Amino acid sequence: MANHKSALKRIRSNEAKRLRNRYQHKTTRTFIKRLREATDKTEAQKLLGEVLGMVDKLAKNNIIHNNKAANLKSSLTKRVNAL
């Protein structure tokens, strides 16, 4: 158990951040899945812009690695352009 007031606060803030990161990551994965299942090109292009922003935000906040974000963006863009 923590012995300092600051350690207790750190535990609380870490848990809040963990839950926020988990929610954002899961939401992004759901949108990526939705984009991959899309068949209409105009709908997919609209969704692509939203998903790319979400992926960038995850990478900026170190929830996912920058290279993973770049790979995801590249593969999703290729998929949409191929529709």
Side-chain angles (χ1 to χ4, degrees):
M1 189 62 203
N3 292 322
H4 296 282
K5 218 173 183 181
S6 60
L8 293 170
K9 181 178 178 182
R10 174 60 60 197
I11 290 168
R12 287 194 310 270
S13 65
N14 283 345
E15 180 64 12
K17 288 174 186 176
R18 184 186 73 83
L19 292 174
R20 187 179 318 115
N21 290 343
R22 189 171 151 206
Y23 172 76
Q24 289 175 346
H25 196 179
K26 182 63 178 166
T27 304
T28 304
R29 286 197 310 255
T30 304
F31 272 80
I32 289 170
K33 184 178 178 183
R34 200 178 299 167
L35 177 61
R36 286 188 172 140
E37 293 171 350
T39 54
D40 181 35
K41 184 161 184 161
T42 56
E43 176 192 329
Q45 285 176 332
K46 181 181 167 216
L47 197 55
L48 179 66
E50 195 173 343
V51 169
L52 294 183
M54 294 169 89
V55 168
D56 281 336
K57 189 172 182 179
L58 289 180
K60 184 182 90 174
N61 294 330
N62 291 322
I63 298 171
I64 61 173
H65 195 274
N66 287 335
N67 291 351
K68 180 182 174 77
N71 290 336
L72 268 174
K73 288 164 58 176
S74 172
S75 65
L76 291 173
T77 304
K78 275 187 196 175
R79 183 181 287 266
V80 170
N81 288 340
L83 287 178

